[in-house]
Amino acid sequence: MNSSIALRTIVFKEIRRFIRIWPQTLLPPAITTSLYFLIFGKLIGDRVGAISGVSYMEYIVPGIILMSVISHSYSNVVSSFYSTKFQHNIEELLVSPVPNWVILVGYISGGVARGLLVGCVVTLISLFFADIMVNDLLIALVTALLTAILFSLAGFINAVFADSFDDISIIPNFVLTPLSYLGGVFYSVSMLPEIWQKISLANPILYMINSFRYGLIGVSDIEVHIALASTVGFIALLSLFSLFLLHKGIGIKT
C-alpha cells in the first residue's frame, strides 16, 4: 500500500471524526473559555491589577488558549486510538502493509488539527475581552504547533496502555489539569516563594505557556529558546517511545 494514501486516509478519518460532532468538540471549549475570561479576567482581574506591565486579562489570555490546545489535542488522540483498540479495528491496520510511522503520524495529525482549531476558536473569543498586540507571531505559532504535537503523542501513549475507558480519563484529570493550572496560566511564577519557583521549573507545561505568552504579549518567566528546546526534546523522546510501542505491539497485540 502506498504510504501517502494510507496517511491521507487516517488523517481524513481523524479530522472528519471530530468535525462531525463539532457541538461536542468545538462548542464546549468556547463556552468554558468565555467563563474563564468573564470570571478570572474581568471580575477578578479588575482587583488583581497589572502583571509584568500588562493587564491581568491580557496576561491570562495566552495561557487559556494554550491550555485548550493541550487538553483537546490530548483528548482527541487518546479517545480515538483507544476506541480503535476497543472495537478491534486496530487489527486491520496491523495486518496491512502500513508502516508504524504512518499510523502514528496519522493519529497525531488528527490531534494536532483539533487542538489548533480549538485554539483558534478560543483566540477569536479572547478578542472580545482583550486587545492582543502580537509580539512575535512565529514563536506563538511554533509553540502552539509543538505543544499540540507533544500532547497528541502523550494521548497516544495513554491510549496504548489503557485497558478501559476509565483509564483514558485518569491522566487528564489527575495530571494534565493540575499541571496546567500550576503552569502559570493565571499567575506569574515570580509571584511565588523562591522554593516554589524552583519546584515549578519541573513542570513542562510552564515552559510552553511562557513561550506562547512571549509570542503573544512579549512577557515570559522562562528563556524562550530553553522552552522551545525542551519541548522539541520531549517530542523526540515520546515519538521514539510511541514507535517502539507500535513495533513491539505493547498494549495493542493480543
Side-chain angles (χ1 to χ4, degrees), residues 59-113:
Y59 189 84
I60 68 172
V61 163
I64 292 176
I65 294 173
L66 205 66
M67 191 167 62
S68 300
V69 174
I70 290 171
S71 62
H72 287 273
S73 57
Y74 185 97
S75 62
N76 190 79
V77 179
V78 71
S79 61
S80 178
F81 192 75
Y82 180 75
S83 296
T84 302
K85 279 179 50 181
F86 180 77
Q87 297 167 1
H88 299 288
N89 296 332
I90 188 63
E91 297 168 0
E92 299 176 6
L93 279 175
L94 295 177
V95 300
S96 65
V98 178
N100 289 333
W101 70 267
V102 170
I103 298 174
L104 180 62
V105 172
Y107 278 93
I108 298 309
S109 297
V112 170

Side-chain angles (χ1 to χ4, degrees), residues 81 94 100 104 153-154 156-161 238-253:
F81 192 75
L94 295 177
N100 289 333
L104 180 62
L153 285 165
F156 181 86
I157 294 171
N158 186 181
V160 168
F161 286 106
L238 294 189
S239 297
L240 292 174
F241 186 53
S242 298
L243 290 172
F244 171 78
L245 294 175
L246 284 172
H247 176 69
K248 294 294 184 180
I250 298 174
I252 301 173
K253 296 179 181 178

Side-chain angles (χ1 to χ4, degrees), residues 110-179:
V112 170
R114 177 174 166 184
L116 295 181
L117 184 56
V118 170
C120 290
V121 171
V122 175
T123 301
L124 290 175
I125 292 173
S126 71
L127 297 178
F128 290 97
F129 296 91
D131 295 325
I132 302 297
M133 302 296 293
V134 179
N135 176 62
D136 192 318
L137 181 61
L138 180 60
I139 289 180
L141 293 177
V142 168
T143 302
L145 177 61
L146 293 177
T147 301
I149 293 173
L150 177 60
F151 285 94
S152 293
L153 285 165
F156 181 86
I157 294 171
N158 186 181
V160 168
F161 286 106
D163 293 323
S164 67
F165 281 100
D166 290 334
D167 291 340
I168 68 176
S169 62
I170 292 176
I171 300 299
N173 291 334
F174 295 101
V175 178
L176 285 187
T177 299
L179 287 180

Side-chain angles (χ1 to χ4, degrees), residues 31-53:
I31 297 173
T32 302
T33 52
S34 296
L35 293 175
Y36 277 133
F37 290 137
L38 282 173
I39 297 172
F40 289 97
K42 187 63 178 175
L43 299 180
I44 297 178
D46 289 343
R47 291 172 171 78
V48 173
I51 297 181
S52 300

